[in-house]
Amino acid sequence: MADKTKSFRRGFRGFAFKALKAAIKAIIVYVAYFFVWSFLSPLSELIPGIQQMMETFVIVYIVLMIFGDLTSGTIYQHFFSAAKALFVIGYLMLSLNSGLFGITFENISLMIDLRVFMLIAMILGLLGLAKSVLQAIDFMNQKAELPLR
């Protein structure tokens, strides 16, 4: 009976530590977003809906990050890491459409080409996806090895 309570306490402490670590990381990411948004807030006058778009991105990214931290030490950690990388790629594709933006301000028309930025960001997202897939393969390889006695 004592072994069960000790293992329960140990497991609970481990989960509580993971939850605390995930909460701290989420707070740091949200504070960084809040700091960056204070500099980008003038863009909300030029591009309607950019604040909601960025907040949605940050919230989903933080949720995937929290789930990944809570499931650390399992294969699900790598699934959430891959989901995070795919989310970044997909969100960039949806939000930037073709990478060309046209802004008209009074009688001035401005065309902005963000295709190079989009390409670089998508390549970085693919690198993150490849990293999480390789980590999942390594994790499963370590679990499959039999201990030698």
PDB file of all heavy atoms in Angstrom, residues 2-36:
ATOM      1  N   ALA A   2       1.959   1.204   0.749  1.00  0.00           N
ATOM      2  CA  ALA A   2       2.838   2.367   0.839  1.00  0.00           C
ATOM      3  C   ALA A   2       3.523   2.638  -0.495  1.00  0.00           C
ATOM      4  O   ALA A   2       3.767   3.789  -0.851  1.00  0.00           O
ATOM      5  CB  ALA A   2       3.874   2.169   1.936  1.00  0.00           C
ATOM      6  N   ASP A   3       3.837   1.552  -1.239  1.00  0.00           N
ATOM      7  CA  ASP A   3       4.479   1.732  -2.545  1.00  0.00           C
ATOM      8  C   ASP A   3       3.547   2.416  -3.530  1.00  0.00           C
ATOM      9  O   ASP A   3       3.982   3.230  -4.340  1.00  0.00           O
ATOM     10  CB  ASP A   3       4.926   0.378  -3.107  1.00  0.00           C
ATOM     11  CG  ASP A   3       6.079  -0.222  -2.317  1.00  0.00           C
ATOM     12  OD1 ASP A   3       6.816   0.564  -1.672  1.00  0.00           O
ATOM     13  OD2 ASP A   3       6.237  -1.457  -2.353  1.00  0.00           O
ATOM     14  N   LYS A   4       2.251   2.090  -3.458  1.00  0.00           N
ATOM     15  CA  LYS A   4       1.293   2.715  -4.361  1.00  0.00           C
ATOM     16  C   LYS A   4       1.152   4.200  -4.081  1.00  0.00           C
ATOM     17  O   LYS A   4       1.077   5.005  -5.003  1.00  0.00           O
ATOM     18  CB  LYS A   4      -0.074   2.034  -4.239  1.00  0.00           C
ATOM     19  CG  LYS A   4      -0.115   0.664  -4.831  1.00  0.00           C
ATOM     20  CD  LYS A   4      -1.503   0.076  -4.736  1.00  0.00           C
ATOM     21  CE  LYS A   4      -1.526  -1.328  -5.304  1.00  0.00           C
ATOM     22  NZ  LYS A   4      -2.870  -1.921  -5.214  1.00  0.00           N
ATOM     23  N   THR A   5       1.120   4.572  -2.808  1.00  0.00           N
ATOM     24  CA  THR A   5       0.987   5.999  -2.489  1.00  0.00           C
ATOM     25  C   THR A   5       2.256   6.753  -2.854  1.00  0.00           C
ATOM     26  O   THR A   5       2.186   7.894  -3.310  1.00  0.00           O
ATOM     27  CB  THR A   5       0.670   6.202  -0.995  1.00  0.00           C
ATOM     28  OG1 THR A   5       1.697   5.605  -0.206  1.00  0.00           O
ATOM     29  CG2 THR A   5      -0.688   5.616  -0.644  1.00  0.00           C
ATOM     30  N   LYS A   6       3.411   6.129  -2.677  1.00  0.00           N
ATOM     31  CA  LYS A   6       4.664   6.787  -3.066  1.00  0.00           C
ATOM     32  C   LYS A   6       4.744   6.965  -4.575  1.00  0.00           C
ATOM     33  O   LYS A   6       5.172   8.015  -5.054  1.00  0.00           O
ATOM     34  CB  LYS A   6       5.866   5.990  -2.561  1.00  0.00           C
ATOM     35  CG  LYS A   6       6.127   6.133  -1.086  1.00  0.00           C
ATOM     36  CD  LYS A   6       7.371   5.398  -0.674  1.00  0.00           C
ATOM     37  CE  LYS A   6       7.577   5.526   0.835  1.00  0.00           C
ATOM     38  NZ  LYS A   6       8.782   4.799   1.246  1.00  0.00           N
ATOM     39  N   SER A   7       4.327   5.943  -5.326  1.00  0.00           N
ATOM     40  CA  SER A   7       4.379   6.069  -6.787  1.00  0.00           C
ATOM     41  C   SER A   7       3.344   7.090  -7.267  1.00  0.00           C
ATOM     42  O   SER A   7       3.595   7.818  -8.221  1.00  0.00           O
ATOM     43  CB  SER A   7       4.144   4.712  -7.449  1.00  0.00           C
ATOM     44  OG  SER A   7       2.833   4.255  -7.199  1.00  0.00           O
ATOM     45  N   PHE A   8       2.175   7.158  -6.601  1.00  0.00           N
ATOM     46  CA  PHE A   8       1.178   8.157  -6.958  1.00  0.00           C
ATOM     47  C   PHE A   8       1.710   9.557  -6.687  1.00  0.00           C
ATOM     48  O   PHE A   8       1.568  10.460  -7.512  1.00  0.00           O
ATOM     49  CB  PHE A   8      -0.120   7.927  -6.179  1.00  0.00           C
ATOM     50  CG  PHE A   8      -1.152   8.989  -6.420  1.00  0.00           C
ATOM     51  CD1 PHE A   8      -1.848   9.028  -7.617  1.00  0.00           C
ATOM     52  CD2 PHE A   8      -1.394   9.971  -5.466  1.00  0.00           C
ATOM     53  CE1 PHE A   8      -2.788  10.014  -7.850  1.00  0.00           C
ATOM     54  CE2 PHE A   8      -2.332  10.956  -5.692  1.00  0.00           C
ATOM     55  CZ  PHE A   8      -3.033  10.982  -6.888  1.00  0.00           C
ATOM     56  N   ARG A   9       2.342   9.737  -5.523  1.00  0.00           N
ATOM     57  CA  ARG A   9       2.917  11.051  -5.193  1.00  0.00           C
ATOM     58  C   ARG A   9       4.004  11.430  -6.182  1.00  0.00           C
ATOM     59  O   ARG A   9       4.099  12.578  -6.606  1.00  0.00           O
ATOM     60  CB  ARG A   9       3.476  11.042  -3.775  1.00  0.00           C
ATOM     61  CG  ARG A   9       2.435  11.071  -2.711  1.00  0.00           C
ATOM     62  CD  ARG A   9       3.056  11.112  -1.349  1.00  0.00           C
ATOM     63  NE  ARG A   9       2.047  11.016  -0.309  1.00  0.00           N
ATOM     64  CZ  ARG A   9       2.323  10.817   0.958  1.00  0.00           C
ATOM     65  NH1 ARG A   9       3.584  10.679   1.352  1.00  0.00           N
ATOM     66  NH2 ARG A   9       1.352  10.730   1.835  1.00  0.00           N
ATOM     67  N   ARG A  10       4.850  10.461  -6.534  1.00  0.00           N
ATOM     68  CA  ARG A  10       5.928  10.730  -7.485  1.00  0.00           C
ATOM     69  C   ARG A  10       5.355  11.112  -8.853  1.00  0.00           C
ATOM     70  O   ARG A  10       5.821  12.053  -9.493  1.00  0.00           O
ATOM     71  CB  ARG A  10       6.824   9.501  -7.605  1.00  0.00           C
ATOM     72  CG  ARG A  10       8.187   9.804  -8.121  1.00  0.00           C
ATOM     73  CD  ARG A  10       9.132   8.613  -8.068  1.00  0.00           C
ATOM     74  NE  ARG A  10       9.145   7.982  -6.773  1.00  0.00           N
ATOM     75  CZ  ARG A  10       9.017   6.652  -6.578  1.00  0.00           C
ATOM     76  NH1 ARG A  10       8.891   5.855  -7.612  1.00  0.00           N
ATOM     77  NH2 ARG A  10       9.041   6.142  -5.370  1.00  0.00           N
ATOM     78  N   GLY A  11       4.334  10.381  -9.284  1.00  0.00           N
ATOM     79  CA  GLY A  11       3.699  10.688 -10.562  1.00  0.00           C
ATOM     80  C   GLY A  11       2.994  12.038 -10.535  1.00  0.00           C
ATOM     81  O   GLY A  11       3.038  12.789 -11.501  1.00  0.00           O
ATOM     82  N   PHE A  12       2.335  12.333  -9.410  1.00  0.00           N
ATOM     83  CA  PHE A  12       1.655  13.613  -9.283  1.00  0.00           C
ATOM     84  C   PHE A  12       2.652  14.763  -9.268  1.00  0.00           C
ATOM     85  O   PHE A  12       2.421  15.803  -9.883  1.00  0.00           O
ATOM     86  CB  PHE A  12       0.793  13.644  -8.019  1.00  0.00           C
ATOM     87  CG  PHE A  12       0.024  14.912  -7.850  1.00  0.00           C
ATOM     88  CD1 PHE A  12      -1.077  15.167  -8.642  1.00  0.00           C
ATOM     89  CD2 PHE A  12       0.425  15.875  -6.929  1.00  0.00           C
ATOM     90  CE1 PHE A  12      -1.789  16.343  -8.511  1.00  0.00           C
ATOM     91  CE2 PHE A  12      -0.270  17.056  -6.795  1.00  0.00           C
ATOM     92  CZ  PHE A  12      -1.377  17.291  -7.586  1.00  0.00           C
ATOM     93  N   ARG A  13       3.766  14.584  -8.577  1.00  0.00           N
ATOM     94  CA  ARG A  13       4.800  15.622  -8.550  1.00  0.00           C
ATOM     95  C   ARG A  13       5.378  15.847  -9.946  1.00  0.00           C
ATOM     96  O   ARG A  13       5.633  16.985 -10.348  1.00  0.00           O
ATOM     97  CB  ARG A  13       5.914  15.257  -7.585  1.00  0.00           C
ATOM     98  CG  ARG A  13       5.562  15.455  -6.157  1.00  0.00           C
ATOM     99  CD  ARG A  13       6.720  15.136  -5.259  1.00  0.00           C
ATOM    100  NE  ARG A  13       6.304  15.187  -3.866  1.00  0.00           N
ATOM    101  CZ  ARG A  13       6.944  14.613  -2.885  1.00  0.00           C
ATOM    102  NH1 ARG A  13       8.057  13.934  -3.129  1.00  0.00           N
ATOM    103  NH2 ARG A  13       6.498  14.702  -1.659  1.00  0.00           N
ATOM    104  N   GLY A  14       5.590  14.756 -10.670  1.00  0.00           N
ATOM    105  CA  GLY A  14       6.114  14.888 -12.030  1.00  0.00           C
ATOM    106  C   GLY A  14       5.143  15.642 -12.927  1.00  0.00           C
ATOM    107  O   GLY A  14       5.542  16.512 -13.695  1.00  0.00           O
ATOM    108  N   PHE A  15       3.847  15.313 -12.810  1.00  0.00           N
ATOM    109  CA  PHE A  15       2.856  16.008 -13.625  1.00  0.00           C
ATOM    110  C   PHE A  15       2.726  17.464 -13.204  1.00  0.00           C
ATOM    111  O   PHE A  15       2.582  18.345 -14.048  1.00  0.00           O
ATOM    112  CB  PHE A  15       1.492  15.310 -13.541  1.00  0.00           C
ATOM    113  CG  PHE A  15       0.476  15.921 -14.439  1.00  0.00           C
ATOM    114  CD1 PHE A  15       0.514  15.683 -15.800  1.00  0.00           C
ATOM    115  CD2 PHE A  15      -0.497  16.761 -13.935  1.00  0.00           C
ATOM    116  CE1 PHE A  15      -0.414  16.251 -16.652  1.00  0.00           C
ATOM    117  CE2 PHE A  15      -1.430  17.342 -14.767  1.00  0.00           C
ATOM    118  CZ  PHE A  15      -1.388  17.079 -16.125  1.00  0.00           C
ATOM    119  N   ALA A  16       2.779  17.721 -11.899  1.00  0.00           N
ATOM    120  CA  ALA A  16       2.693  19.099 -11.415  1.00  0.00           C
ATOM    121  C   ALA A  16       3.893  19.910 -11.913  1.00  0.00           C
ATOM    122  O   ALA A  16       3.739  21.083 -12.287  1.00  0.00           O
ATOM    123  CB  ALA A  16       2.623  19.129  -9.895  1.00  0.00           C
ATOM    124  N   PHE A  17       5.062  19.293 -11.937  1.00  0.00           N
ATOM    125  CA  PHE A  17       6.247  19.991 -12.458  1.00  0.00           C
ATOM    126  C   PHE A  17       6.087  20.291 -13.946  1.00  0.00           C
ATOM    127  O   PHE A  17       6.414  21.390 -14.409  1.00  0.00           O
ATOM    128  CB  PHE A  17       7.502  19.142 -12.216  1.00  0.00           C
ATOM    129  CG  PHE A  17       8.750  19.757 -12.773  1.00  0.00           C
ATOM    130  CD1 PHE A  17       9.305  20.884 -12.190  1.00  0.00           C
ATOM    131  CD2 PHE A  17       9.355  19.221 -13.898  1.00  0.00           C
ATOM    132  CE1 PHE A  17      10.448  21.464 -12.723  1.00  0.00           C
ATOM    133  CE2 PHE A  17      10.490  19.790 -14.431  1.00  0.00           C
ATOM    134  CZ  PHE A  17      11.041  20.911 -13.838  1.00  0.00           C
ATOM    135  N   LYS A  18       5.551  19.317 -14.717  1.00  0.00           N
ATOM    136  CA  LYS A  18       5.321  19.546 -16.148  1.00  0.00           C
ATOM    137  C   LYS A  18       4.307  20.667 -16.366  1.00  0.00           C
ATOM    138  O   LYS A  18       4.472  21.497 -17.255  1.00  0.00           O
ATOM    139  CB  LYS A  18       4.816  18.273 -16.817  1.00  0.00           C
ATOM    140  CG  LYS A  18       5.855  17.190 -16.959  1.00  0.00           C
ATOM    141  CD  LYS A  18       5.230  15.964 -17.600  1.00  0.00           C
ATOM    142  CE  LYS A  18       6.184  14.806 -17.657  1.00  0.00           C
ATOM    143  NZ  LYS A  18       5.569  13.614 -18.265  1.00  0.00           N
ATOM    144  N   ALA A  19       3.252  20.673 -15.545  1.00  0.00           N
ATOM    145  CA  ALA A  19       2.226  21.712 -15.686  1.00  0.00           C
ATOM    146  C   ALA A  19       2.793  23.084 -15.342  1.00  0.00           C
ATOM    147  O   ALA A  19       2.494  24.076 -16.017  1.00  0.00           O
ATOM    148  CB  ALA A  19       1.037  21.388 -14.794  1.00  0.00           C
ATOM    149  N   LEU A  20       3.616  23.162 -14.297  1.00  0.00           N
ATOM    150  CA  LEU A  20       4.235  24.433 -13.914  1.00  0.00           C
ATOM    151  C   LEU A  20       5.183  24.914 -15.012  1.00  0.00           C
ATOM    152  O   LEU A  20       5.178  26.095 -15.373  1.00  0.00           O
ATOM    153  CB  LEU A  20       4.977  24.281 -12.592  1.00  0.00           C
ATOM    154  CG  LEU A  20       5.675  25.527 -12.062  1.00  0.00           C
ATOM    155  CD1 LEU A  20       4.636  26.585 -11.705  1.00  0.00           C
ATOM    156  CD2 LEU A  20       6.527  25.181 -10.862  1.00  0.00           C
ATOM    157  N   LYS A  21       5.960  24.008 -15.559  1.00  0.00           N
ATOM    158  CA  LYS A  21       6.885  24.354 -16.647  1.00  0.00           C
ATOM    159  C   LYS A  21       6.106  24.848 -17.866  1.00  0.00           C
ATOM    160  O   LYS A  21       6.481  25.854 -18.487  1.00  0.00           O
ATOM    161  CB  LYS A  21       7.712  23.120 -17.006  1.00  0.00           C
ATOM    162  CG  LYS A  21       8.698  23.325 -18.119  1.00  0.00           C
ATOM    163  CD  LYS A  21       9.449  22.025 -18.387  1.00  0.00           C
ATOM    164  CE  LYS A  21      10.215  22.095 -19.671  1.00  0.00           C
ATOM    165  NZ  LYS A  21      10.840  20.826 -20.009  1.00  0.00           N
ATOM    166  N   ALA A  22       5.016  24.170 -18.211  1.00  0.00           N
ATOM    167  CA  ALA A  22       4.198  24.577 -19.359  1.00  0.00           C
ATOM    168  C   ALA A  22       3.559  25.942 -19.117  1.00  0.00           C
ATOM    169  O   ALA A  22       3.506  26.779 -20.024  1.00  0.00           O
ATOM    170  CB  ALA A  22       3.123  23.526 -19.632  1.00  0.00           C
ATOM    171  N   ALA A  23       3.102  26.189 -17.892  1.00  0.00           N
ATOM    172  CA  ALA A  23       2.480  27.483 -17.580  1.00  0.00           C
ATOM    173  C   ALA A  23       3.501  28.613 -17.670  1.00  0.00           C
ATOM    174  O   ALA A  23       3.195  29.689 -18.197  1.00  0.00           O
ATOM    175  CB  ALA A  23       1.854  27.433 -16.194  1.00  0.00           C
ATOM    176  N   ILE A  24       4.688  28.375 -17.166  1.00  0.00           N
ATOM    177  CA  ILE A  24       5.734  29.406 -17.226  1.00  0.00           C
ATOM    178  C   ILE A  24       6.112  29.705 -18.674  1.00  0.00           C
ATOM    179  O   ILE A  24       6.241  30.874 -19.067  1.00  0.00           O
ATOM    180  CB  ILE A  24       6.963  28.983 -16.390  1.00  0.00           C
ATOM    181  CG1 ILE A  24       6.617  29.028 -14.898  1.00  0.00           C
ATOM    182  CG2 ILE A  24       8.168  29.868 -16.688  1.00  0.00           C
ATOM    183  CD1 ILE A  24       7.677  28.444 -13.997  1.00  0.00           C
ATOM    184  N   LYS A  25       6.270  28.655 -19.492  1.00  0.00           N
ATOM    185  CA  LYS A  25       6.592  28.880 -20.902  1.00  0.00           C
ATOM    186  C   LYS A  25       5.473  29.622 -21.620  1.00  0.00           C
ATOM    187  O   LYS A  25       5.734  30.504 -22.438  1.00  0.00           O
ATOM    188  CB  LYS A  25       6.873  27.538 -21.591  1.00  0.00           C
ATOM    189  CG  LYS A  25       8.230  26.966 -21.241  1.00  0.00           C
ATOM    190  CD  LYS A  25       8.427  25.581 -21.780  1.00  0.00           C
ATOM    191  CE  LYS A  25       8.564  25.531 -23.256  1.00  0.00           C
ATOM    192  NZ  LYS A  25       8.899  24.172 -23.762  1.00  0.00           N
ATOM    193  N   ALA A  26       4.226  29.286 -21.297  1.00  0.00           N
ATOM    194  CA  ALA A  26       3.088  29.962 -21.928  1.00  0.00           C
ATOM    195  C   ALA A  26       3.051  31.435 -21.538  1.00  0.00           C
ATOM    196  O   ALA A  26       2.781  32.297 -22.381  1.00  0.00           O
ATOM    197  CB  ALA A  26       1.790  29.268 -21.531  1.00  0.00           C
ATOM    198  N   ILE A  27       3.323  31.728 -20.284  1.00  0.00           N
ATOM    199  CA  ILE A  27       3.333  33.126 -19.833  1.00  0.00           C
ATOM    200  C   ILE A  27       4.446  33.899 -20.531  1.00  0.00           C
ATOM    201  O   ILE A  27       4.240  35.037 -20.966  1.00  0.00           O
ATOM    202  CB  ILE A  27       3.467  33.192 -18.296  1.00  0.00           C
ATOM    203  CG1 ILE A  27       2.163  32.714 -17.652  1.00  0.00           C
ATOM    204  CG2 ILE A  27       3.821  34.596 -17.836  1.00  0.00           C
ATOM    205  CD1 ILE A  27       2.262  32.509 -16.152  1.00  0.00           C
ATOM    206  N   ILE A  28       5.611  33.281 -20.670  1.00  0.00           N
ATOM    207  CA  ILE A  28       6.730  33.954 -21.335  1.00  0.00           C
ATOM    208  C   ILE A  28       6.394  34.245 -22.801  1.00  0.00           C
ATOM    209  O   ILE A  28       6.645  35.342 -23.301  1.00  0.00           O
ATOM    210  CB  ILE A  28       8.021  33.117 -21.208  1.00  0.00           C
ATOM    211  CG1 ILE A  28       8.517  33.145 -19.764  1.00  0.00           C
ATOM    212  CG2 ILE A  28       9.099  33.612 -22.163  1.00  0.00           C
ATOM    213  CD1 ILE A  28       9.659  32.197 -19.486  1.00  0.00           C
ATOM    214  N   VAL A  29       5.791  33.277 -23.479  1.00  0.00           N
ATOM    215  CA  VAL A  29       5.426  33.476 -24.889  1.00  0.00           C
ATOM    216  C   VAL A  29       4.368  34.565 -25.017  1.00  0.00           C
ATOM    217  O   VAL A  29       4.440  35.427 -25.899  1.00  0.00           O
ATOM    218  CB  VAL A  29       4.954  32.156 -25.527  1.00  0.00           C
ATOM    219  CG1 VAL A  29       4.326  32.386 -26.888  1.00  0.00           C
ATOM    220  CG2 VAL A  29       6.112  31.196 -25.651  1.00  0.00           C
ATOM    221  N   TYR A  30       3.379  34.560 -24.120  1.00  0.00           N
ATOM    222  CA  TYR A  30       2.330  35.572 -24.213  1.00  0.00           C
ATOM    223  C   TYR A  30       2.869  36.966 -23.892  1.00  0.00           C
ATOM    224  O   TYR A  30       2.473  37.941 -24.528  1.00  0.00           O
ATOM    225  CB  TYR A  30       1.153  35.237 -23.296  1.00  0.00           C
ATOM    226  CG  TYR A  30      -0.047  36.090 -23.609  1.00  0.00           C
ATOM    227  CD1 TYR A  30      -0.801  35.850 -24.740  1.00  0.00           C
ATOM    228  CD2 TYR A  30      -0.385  37.165 -22.804  1.00  0.00           C
ATOM    229  CE1 TYR A  30      -1.888  36.641 -25.059  1.00  0.00           C
ATOM    230  CE2 TYR A  30      -1.468  37.967 -23.110  1.00  0.00           C
ATOM    231  CZ  TYR A  30      -2.217  37.699 -24.237  1.00  0.00           C
ATOM    232  OH  TYR A  30      -3.278  38.499 -24.557  1.00  0.00           O
ATOM    233  N   VAL A  31       3.786  37.076 -22.929  1.00  0.00           N
ATOM    234  CA  VAL A  31       4.397  38.373 -22.621  1.00  0.00           C
ATOM    235  C   VAL A  31       5.221  38.855 -23.821  1.00  0.00           C
ATOM    236  O   VAL A  31       5.190  40.044 -24.153  1.00  0.00           O
ATOM    237  CB  VAL A  31       5.249  38.288 -21.335  1.00  0.00           C
ATOM    238  CG1 VAL A  31       6.152  39.492 -21.175  1.00  0.00           C
ATOM    239  CG2 VAL A  31       4.351  38.135 -20.119  1.00  0.00           C
ATOM    240  N   ALA A  32       5.928  37.935 -24.482  1.00  0.00           N
ATOM    241  CA  ALA A  32       6.685  38.315 -25.676  1.00  0.00           C
ATOM    242  C   ALA A  32       5.747  38.789 -26.778  1.00  0.00           C
ATOM    243  O   ALA A  32       6.029  39.791 -27.456  1.00  0.00           O
ATOM    244  CB  ALA A  32       7.520  37.131 -26.163  1.00  0.00           C
ATOM    245  N   TYR A  33       4.625  38.099 -26.955  1.00  0.00           N
ATOM    246  CA  TYR A  33       3.631  38.536 -27.941  1.00  0.00           C
ATOM    247  C   TYR A  33       3.096  39.909 -27.574  1.00  0.00           C
ATOM    248  O   TYR A  33       2.961  40.780 -28.438  1.00  0.00           O
ATOM    249  CB  TYR A  33       2.478  37.528 -28.036  1.00  0.00           C
ATOM    250  CG  TYR A  33       1.209  38.137 -28.578  1.00  0.00           C
ATOM    251  CD1 TYR A  33       1.098  38.471 -29.922  1.00  0.00           C
ATOM    252  CD2 TYR A  33       0.135  38.417 -27.743  1.00  0.00           C
ATOM    253  CE1 TYR A  33      -0.050  39.048 -30.420  1.00  0.00           C
ATOM    254  CE2 TYR A  33      -1.014  38.990 -28.230  1.00  0.00           C
ATOM    255  CZ  TYR A  33      -1.110  39.310 -29.561  1.00  0.00           C
ATOM    256  OH  TYR A  33      -2.242  39.886 -30.043  1.00  0.00           O
ATOM    257  N   PHE A  34       2.772  40.122 -26.323  1.00  0.00           N
ATOM    258  CA  PHE A  34       2.236  41.404 -25.875  1.00  0.00           C
ATOM    259  C   PHE A  34       3.246  42.529 -26.116  1.00  0.00           C
ATOM    260  O   PHE A  34       2.883  43.630 -26.545  1.00  0.00           O
ATOM    261  CB  PHE A  34       1.863  41.319 -24.396  1.00  0.00           C
ATOM    262  CG  PHE A  34       1.010  42.438 -23.920  1.00  0.00           C
ATOM    263  CD1 PHE A  34      -0.306  42.540 -24.329  1.00  0.00           C
ATOM    264  CD2 PHE A  34       1.519  43.394 -23.054  1.00  0.00           C
ATOM    265  CE1 PHE A  34      -1.109  43.580 -23.898  1.00  0.00           C
ATOM    266  CE2 PHE A  34       0.734  44.436 -22.614  1.00  0.00           C
ATOM    267  CZ  PHE A  34      -0.580  44.531 -23.034  1.00  0.00           C
ATOM    268  N   PHE A  35       4.531  42.240 -25.867  1.00  0.00           N
ATOM    269  CA  PHE A  35       5.593  43.228 -26.087  1.00  0.00           C
ATOM    270  C   PHE A  35       5.734  43.544 -27.575  1.00  0.00           C
ATOM    271  O   PHE A  35       5.833  44.716 -27.961  1.00  0.00           O
ATOM    272  CB  PHE A  35       6.909  42.696 -25.511  1.00  0.00           C
ATOM    273  CG  PHE A  35       8.064  43.633 -25.668  1.00  0.00           C
ATOM    274  CD1 PHE A  35       8.143  44.798 -24.908  1.00  0.00           C
ATOM    275  CD2 PHE A  35       9.078  43.368 -26.568  1.00  0.00           C
ATOM    276  CE1 PHE A  35       9.202  45.675 -25.050  1.00  0.00           C
ATOM    277  CE2 PHE A  35      10.145  44.236 -26.723  1.00  0.00           C
ATOM    278  CZ  PHE A  35      10.200  45.388 -25.956  1.00  0.00           C
ATOM    279  N   VAL A  36       5.736  42.511 -28.418  1.00  0.00           N
ATOM    280  CA  VAL A  36       5.870  42.721 -29.860  1.00  0.00           C
ATOM    281  C   VAL A  36       4.644  43.440 -30.402  1.00  0.00           C
ATOM    282  O   VAL A  36       4.761  44.318 -31.271  1.00  0.00           O
ATOM    283  CB  VAL A  36       6.111  41.376 -30.586  1.00  0.00           C
ATOM    284  CG1 VAL A  36       5.977  41.523 -32.085  1.00  0.00           C
ATOM    285  CG2 VAL A  36       7.481  40.833 -30.234  1.00  0.00           C
TER     286      VAL A  36
END
